[in-house]
Amino acid sequence: MTASPRLDERSKHFRRVIVRVLQKARRGHVGAAFSLIEILRVLYDDVLCFNPQNPRWTGRDRCILSKGHGCLALYAILADKGYFPETELERFCAPDGILGGHPEAGKVPGVEASTGALGHGLPIGLGMALHLRIAKSDSRVFVILGDGECNEGSVWEAAMCAGKHGLTNLTAIVDYNKHQSYASTREVQDLEPFADKWRSFGFGVREVDGHDVPALRVALATPFVEGKPSALICHTIKGKGAKFAENNMKWHHKNKVTDQEVDALLAAIEEA
Amino acid sequence: MRESCLKMVYELAKTDERVVFIGSDLGVGVLSEFKKDIPSRFFMEGVSEQNLVGVAAGMALEGRIVYLNTIATFLSRRCYEQVAVDLCLHNVNVRLIANGGGVVYAPLGPTHLAIEDLAIMRALPNMTIVAPADAVEMVRFMKVSVDHPGPIYIRVAKGHDPVVTTDTGPFVIGKAVPMRDGDEVLIATTGIGLQVSLAAAEKLATAGIRAAVLHFPTVKPLDTIALHEHVKQAAVVVSVEEHTVIGGLGSAIAEDLAEADLLSGRRFKRFGIPDVFPKGYGDQTGMLRKYGVSAENVAEQVKALLVGRPGQTIRVAA
């Protein structure tokens, strides 16, 4: 892979928004959220059909953040799109807030399914994709998975089932930052040969730099192979955008975030 | 009962486009007419219960009413997190048709026995639990199952069970059914425990003891109004169920009666599988008998409880 691209102003903006949330809540899955931002912004800026004024509009595309712990990135983008006021972000993890440490459907407008327990999003997305096929809808379903999440057997049960049904309308996107909570994916549970696994389950597969916005736009624009579900493996950097936090397991989930750390993150984002 | 239940899924699907059937890897020919007539809403997706429950949730989130069928123990133990999160947290209209609840699969050993399914399903918010006593009651329930909000766990007995229910009107989810009057003893039961309970009450009657039988085809929500009404007359209250004594109908009743202060002065006992993995094989009836879930044992124990009551005259037939 070539060097990871520099971040543009919009990517930096979302990272700053997340840092401000951390400053208020003093906690959050920073690494996972920073890893995801370009995937989510391309989906919501360039790919998905949706209507924030009518989140349940039947003609929408469905997007499930199966790696629910990356929710800070999703919240920042949903607020940007007008699903809820940006001031709601200030109540992240508050007792009476709607934005929890994992996203909940029915509470957060725009969230299709409650996730957090890993391995649930792909089966649910598969059920939605099957429904849309019965209903003869041309809406697409996108499910964003973590790499550690792909340790779960339910992911592969769903992959096998999606392959059998040849669901062109379903796209699995893996945020492959090569790190899970304890250590590298290679050390904890090696996923390689990862693309071959998805291919052998009946998916059309592509790989992309998950921080390369133009490349993501191209990859997500259309399904890869007619008659097959798509799997887009996004090579990402955990904590991307704050050099000292990149691939640093201390920043997978951060508690008791200090003002000094907030300042350091904001300064690092400007350099990214 | 299973055949009647699945046949009803097909009948419902014919008239309601929301209805979808999902099976795991069921017996050859199951719902072949459904598959032939409505192939777009018939799914047989393999031995993958975690995925099946998630898929059912995804469809239900889109407005489908999904009937999902496999063996009870695999539908309760194997995919419990999916049932909790995908179905109950989202409160979606998925109906779990659980074959062989209890010890139906006695010959197949402990991996196939669902003796704690009611307990673990009871612990989940939004879950409704139904355990009909026979095929007639199952059909009556299935007719009203479509429009009930939220997930339902449907416990299916062996099949060809004797028809003991007598109601012909619409099934009311959440209502207990008085099956026999009696002002000395209350036998509360569910599922095929009703057969055992009615036989036990008959045996008690021959000994001059008047036992009421209150059937709970809905285990959750528990019909506490009917329970309180019937308990008030009884000196002895017992529960009879094809389930561990931990967490099932007996526990539900004990918890409710204790909190309502309706246990004081009464003797209470649960008949069910004790806190063990059932040993041996044989058949359902034999397995239940081994652990005391039989008309003979229930009747004898109830007599002993009546005798043992402080101040109670010994009136058991010699």
Side-chain angles (χ1 to χ4, degrees), chain B residues 178-190:
Chain B
M179 295 296 299
R180 184 181 174 118
D181 292 333
D183 58 3
E184 290 178 284
V185 175
L186 174 62
I187 306 176
T189 190
T190 186

PDB file of all heavy atoms in Angstrom, chain B residues 178-190:
ATOM      1  N   PRO B 178     -59.263 -21.577  33.238  1.00  0.00           N
ATOM      2  CA  PRO B 178     -59.688 -22.518  34.276  1.00  0.00           C
ATOM      3  C   PRO B 178     -60.189 -23.804  33.610  1.00  0.00           C
ATOM      4  O   PRO B 178     -61.075 -23.756  32.763  1.00  0.00           O
ATOM      5  CB  PRO B 178     -60.849 -21.786  34.970  1.00  0.00           C
ATOM      6  CG  PRO B 178     -60.806 -20.380  34.472  1.00  0.00           C
ATOM      7  CD  PRO B 178     -60.149 -20.415  33.132  1.00  0.00           C
ATOM      8  N   MET B 179     -59.605 -24.931  33.993  1.00  0.00           N
ATOM      9  CA  MET B 179     -59.940 -26.197  33.338  1.00  0.00           C
ATOM     10  C   MET B 179     -60.760 -27.099  34.249  1.00  0.00           C
ATOM     11  O   MET B 179     -61.372 -28.060  33.798  1.00  0.00           O
ATOM     12  CB  MET B 179     -58.662 -26.940  32.934  1.00  0.00           C
ATOM     13  CG  MET B 179     -57.827 -26.233  31.870  1.00  0.00           C
ATOM     14  SD  MET B 179     -58.683 -26.067  30.278  1.00  0.00           S
ATOM     15  CE  MET B 179     -58.961 -27.772  29.858  1.00  0.00           C
ATOM     16  N   ARG B 180     -60.693 -26.821  35.546  1.00  0.00           N
ATOM     17  CA  ARG B 180     -61.436 -27.653  36.481  1.00  0.00           C
ATOM     18  C   ARG B 180     -61.607 -26.865  37.769  1.00  0.00           C
ATOM     19  O   ARG B 180     -60.675 -26.185  38.216  1.00  0.00           O
ATOM     20  CB  ARG B 180     -60.645 -28.954  36.737  1.00  0.00           C
ATOM     21  CG  ARG B 180     -61.363 -29.947  37.622  1.00  0.00           C
ATOM     22  CD  ARG B 180     -60.516 -31.192  37.855  1.00  0.00           C
ATOM     23  NE  ARG B 180     -61.203 -32.037  38.822  1.00  0.00           N
ATOM     24  CZ  ARG B 180     -61.645 -33.260  38.578  1.00  0.00           C
ATOM     25  NH1 ARG B 180     -61.425 -33.830  37.402  1.00  0.00           N
ATOM     26  NH2 ARG B 180     -62.290 -33.950  39.501  1.00  0.00           N
ATOM     27  N   ASP B 181     -62.781 -26.947  38.350  1.00  0.00           N
ATOM     28  CA  ASP B 181     -63.042 -26.237  39.601  1.00  0.00           C
ATOM     29  C   ASP B 181     -62.652 -27.096  40.806  1.00  0.00           C
ATOM     30  O   ASP B 181     -62.627 -28.325  40.712  1.00  0.00           O
ATOM     31  CB  ASP B 181     -64.527 -25.868  39.710  1.00  0.00           C
ATOM     32  CG  ASP B 181     -64.899 -24.819  38.674  1.00  0.00           C
ATOM     33  OD1 ASP B 181     -64.000 -24.048  38.280  1.00  0.00           O
ATOM     34  OD2 ASP B 181     -66.070 -24.795  38.248  1.00  0.00           O
ATOM     35  N   GLY B 182     -62.386 -26.448  41.910  1.00  0.00           N
ATOM     36  CA  GLY B 182     -62.033 -27.147  43.143  1.00  0.00           C
ATOM     37  C   GLY B 182     -61.601 -26.135  44.172  1.00  0.00           C
ATOM     38  O   GLY B 182     -60.904 -25.182  43.828  1.00  0.00           O
ATOM     39  N   ASP B 183     -62.026 -26.289  45.410  1.00  0.00           N
ATOM     40  CA  ASP B 183     -61.774 -25.235  46.399  1.00  0.00           C
ATOM     41  C   ASP B 183     -60.772 -25.621  47.481  1.00  0.00           C
ATOM     42  O   ASP B 183     -60.604 -24.903  48.452  1.00  0.00           O
ATOM     43  CB  ASP B 183     -63.095 -24.786  47.040  1.00  0.00           C
ATOM     44  CG  ASP B 183     -63.830 -25.923  47.717  1.00  0.00           C
ATOM     45  OD1 ASP B 183     -63.265 -27.047  47.730  1.00  0.00           O
ATOM     46  OD2 ASP B 183     -64.926 -25.698  48.220  1.00  0.00           O
ATOM     47  N   GLU B 184     -60.074 -26.762  47.281  1.00  0.00           N
ATOM     48  CA  GLU B 184     -59.082 -27.129  48.304  1.00  0.00           C
ATOM     49  C   GLU B 184     -57.642 -27.001  47.794  1.00  0.00           C
ATOM     50  O   GLU B 184     -56.741 -26.636  48.542  1.00  0.00           O
ATOM     51  CB  GLU B 184     -59.313 -28.586  48.747  1.00  0.00           C
ATOM     52  CG  GLU B 184     -60.583 -28.780  49.548  1.00  0.00           C
ATOM     53  CD  GLU B 184     -60.760 -30.236  49.905  1.00  0.00           C
ATOM     54  OE1 GLU B 184     -61.154 -31.022  49.015  1.00  0.00           O
ATOM     55  OE2 GLU B 184     -60.505 -30.590  51.070  1.00  0.00           O
ATOM     56  N   VAL B 185     -57.468 -27.362  46.537  1.00  0.00           N
ATOM     57  CA  VAL B 185     -56.121 -27.422  45.962  1.00  0.00           C
ATOM     58  C   VAL B 185     -56.141 -26.669  44.637  1.00  0.00           C
ATOM     59  O   VAL B 185     -57.139 -26.734  43.914  1.00  0.00           O
ATOM     60  CB  VAL B 185     -55.717 -28.897  45.706  1.00  0.00           C
ATOM     61  CG1 VAL B 185     -54.360 -28.979  44.997  1.00  0.00           C
ATOM     62  CG2 VAL B 185     -55.690 -29.689  47.010  1.00  0.00           C
ATOM     63  N   LEU B 186     -55.048 -25.956  44.352  1.00  0.00           N
ATOM     64  CA  LEU B 186     -54.909 -25.355  43.019  1.00  0.00           C
ATOM     65  C   LEU B 186     -53.693 -25.974  42.327  1.00  0.00           C
ATOM     66  O   LEU B 186     -52.578 -25.919  42.859  1.00  0.00           O
ATOM     67  CB  LEU B 186     -54.722 -23.837  43.115  1.00  0.00           C
ATOM     68  CG  LEU B 186     -54.417 -23.168  41.753  1.00  0.00           C
ATOM     69  CD1 LEU B 186     -55.570 -23.358  40.760  1.00  0.00           C
ATOM     70  CD2 LEU B 186     -54.085 -21.695  41.925  1.00  0.00           C
ATOM     71  N   ILE B 187     -53.930 -26.551  41.157  1.00  0.00           N
ATOM     72  CA  ILE B 187     -52.825 -27.044  40.324  1.00  0.00           C
ATOM     73  C   ILE B 187     -52.686 -26.077  39.162  1.00  0.00           C
ATOM     74  O   ILE B 187     -53.590 -25.939  38.345  1.00  0.00           O
ATOM     75  CB  ILE B 187     -53.100 -28.467  39.796  1.00  0.00           C
ATOM     76  CG1 ILE B 187     -53.430 -29.419  40.952  1.00  0.00           C
ATOM     77  CG2 ILE B 187     -51.900 -28.978  39.005  1.00  0.00           C
ATOM     78  CD1 ILE B 187     -53.811 -30.833  40.500  1.00  0.00           C
ATOM     79  N   ALA B 188     -51.538 -25.397  39.118  1.00  0.00           N
ATOM     80  CA  ALA B 188     -51.265 -24.462  38.019  1.00  0.00           C
ATOM     81  C   ALA B 188     -50.322 -25.154  37.046  1.00  0.00           C
ATOM     82  O   ALA B 188     -49.356 -25.804  37.457  1.00  0.00           O
ATOM     83  CB  ALA B 188     -50.607 -23.197  38.564  1.00  0.00           C
ATOM     84  N   THR B 189     -50.609 -25.012  35.758  1.00  0.00           N
ATOM     85  CA  THR B 189     -49.813 -25.771  34.801  1.00  0.00           C
ATOM     86  C   THR B 189     -49.716 -25.053  33.470  1.00  0.00           C
ATOM     87  O   THR B 189     -50.394 -24.048  33.233  1.00  0.00           O
ATOM     88  CB  THR B 189     -50.424 -27.182  34.626  1.00  0.00           C
ATOM     89  OG1 THR B 189     -49.514 -27.991  33.883  1.00  0.00           O
ATOM     90  CG2 THR B 189     -51.761 -27.117  33.893  1.00  0.00           C
ATOM     91  N   THR B 190     -48.874 -25.589  32.601  1.00  0.00           N
ATOM     92  CA  THR B 190     -48.740 -25.059  31.241  1.00  0.00           C
ATOM     93  C   THR B 190     -48.324 -26.182  30.300  1.00  0.00           C
ATOM     94  O   THR B 190     -47.823 -27.220  30.761  1.00  0.00           O
ATOM     95  CB  THR B 190     -47.702 -23.906  31.205  1.00  0.00           C
ATOM     96  OG1 THR B 190     -47.707 -23.323  29.899  1.00  0.00           O
ATOM     97  CG2 THR B 190     -46.294 -24.390  31.521  1.00  0.00           C
TER      98      THR B 190
END
